[in-house]
Amino acid sequence: MNVDTVVFDLDGTVVDTVTGITHAVNTALRSFGLPEVEDDETRRYVGLGGKALVRAALQKAGAPEELAPAVQEAYLTAYADDPGHLARAYPGAEELLQRLRARGVRLALCTNKSGRITGGMLDALGLGEAFDAVVSGDELPYRKPDPRHLLDSVRRAGGTAALMVGDSISDVQAARAAGAPVVCVSFGYGTAGLEPDSWIDSFDDFESDVLVREALGRDL
């Protein structure tokens, strides 16, 4: 396949962020006197971005849709104040990134999360220098599932062809439209009903996956 770049999603793939997102969203909702959301609700929407979660919370509360921009800004402000709060890298994620980089594989992060949060979170988790390129959801006029988001991530990483690693329909659709193979992590958030090219249950399984070996070379 001549793949030279592995592109990772962030939420539910590299980092478990649900509890932190729920905390930030609820901080915003409380400031407007609106009912809070639970982690399970966050998990359903996180792959689609914070705006989708805020809209769902407003709809659940029967609040006017016109509140969405203000609640969204309050959520982003609360999250950006401490982006690493309650976040944790999934077991084996940091070690996998180090192994791939040592083998000369280019690494990109392609996330629908806001840039004002993404960078701070990566730094807080010690992953600030782990990727050759980080492209967040508000840097470009498009985002996943638009394939251009994925393709721009590859280009910025200095690569030419990608393998996508994610956990949601946005990741799978972006990869399909970009002509890239896609591996999904079974421990992610939006995995129900997905049909990626391959599944992994742990980052320890990544290099032994048949699709990965074919894409990156069997000398992994």
Side-chain angles (χ1 to χ4, degrees), residues 25-26 29 34-38 41 45 50-63 71:
V25 167
N26 285 340
L29 292 172
L34 297 172
E36 299 182 8
V37 298
E38 302 291 337
E41 294 170 279
Y45 290 98
K51 288 183 179 179
L53 176 58
V54 166
R55 285 195 299 269
L58 293 179
Q59 185 175 23
K60 173 187 172 184
V71 176

Side-chain angles (χ1 to χ4, degrees), residues 142-152 173-179:
Y142 39 79
R143 58 168 61 187
K144 294 180 297 181
D146 192 310
R148 293 174 293 176
H149 195 182
L150 171 58
L151 293 171
D152 275 8
Q173 289 179 341
R176 292 273 187 263

Side-chain angles (χ1 to χ4, degrees), residues 105-123:
V105 178
R106 298 180 186 277
L107 302 175
L109 186 76
C110 181
T111 176
N112 283 346
K113 187 181 286 297
S114 167
R116 64 198 273 196
I117 296 167
T118 299
M121 176 178 291
L122 293 176
D123 289 342

Side-chain angles (χ1 to χ4, degrees), residues 39-198:
D39 280 350
D40 285 347
E41 294 170 279
T42 299
R43 192 171 285 107
R44 287 200 297 272
Y45 290 98
V46 66
L48 302 176
K51 288 183 179 179
L53 176 58
V54 166
R55 285 195 299 269
L58 293 179
Q59 185 175 23
K60 173 187 172 184
E65 188 176 344
E66 291 75 14
L67 273 180
V71 176
Q72 172 73 8
E73 181 58 29
Y75 153 64
L76 291 175
T77 298
Y79 205 172
D81 283 345
D82 189 3
H85 182 58
L86 301 174
R88 65 177 184 87
Y90 282 108
E94 183 175 5
E95 293 81 2
L96 173 61
L97 295 172
Q98 292 172 347
R99 291 196 303 271
L100 292 175
R101 172 160 282 185
R103 288 166 176 152
V105 178
R106 298 180 186 277
L107 302 175
L109 186 76
C110 181
T111 176
N112 283 346
K113 187 181 286 297
S114 167
R116 64 198 273 196
I117 296 167
T118 299
M121 176 178 291
L122 293 176
D123 289 342
L125 297 175
L127 298 174
E129 302 299 322
F131 298 94
D132 297 296
V134 174
V135 185
S136 57
D138 51 7
E139 288 185 49
L140 303 169
Y142 39 79
R143 58 168 61 187
K144 294 180 297 181
D146 192 310
R148 293 174 293 176
H149 195 182
L150 171 58
L151 293 171
D152 275 8
S153 301
V154 177
R155 178 182 57 79
R156 292 189 186 192
T160 58
L163 167 69
M164 179 76 207
V165 183
D167 76 313
S168 74
I169 188 63
S170 294
D171 300 318
V172 173
Q173 289 179 341
R176 292 273 187 263
V182 55
V183 175
C184 281
V185 296
S186 62
F187 48 80
Y189 303 148
T191 58
L194 293 186
E195 296 183 357
D197 297 306
S198 188

